[in-house]
Amino acid sequence: MPEELAGGGPDRWLVVGFYDNEAIRTPHGWRLSIKLTATHQENARLPGLTAVI
């Protein structure tokens, strides 16, 4: 994250977890479903940003 957005605070958001992915072939092409399950976070709410998982 650029310093002007970090405001002297943490400049990164660490997320640890795992993904569950599913690929389904339909008559209209492939459809992908991706879900992240976060098991640990650091600095989830950086200044000026809203964390969404």
Side-chain angles (χ1 to χ4, degrees):
M1 169 180 289
E3 176 61 33
E4 60 270 11
L5 292 178
D11 63 354
R12 66 191 144 274
W13 175 20
L14 172 69
V15 179
V16 177
F18 58 91
Y19 288 96
D20 290 305
N21 302 321
E22 183 177 25
I24 300 173
R25 188 171 188 171
T26 72
H28 303 288
W30 287 94
R31 300 294 179 244
L32 303 176
S33 170
I34 302 170
K35 177 185 173 189
L36 168 63
T37 301
T39 57
H40 175 78
Q41 295 184 55
E42 292 178 10
N43 306 321
R45 297 227 181 250
L46 294 171
L49 299 178
T50 302
V52 177
I53 291 187

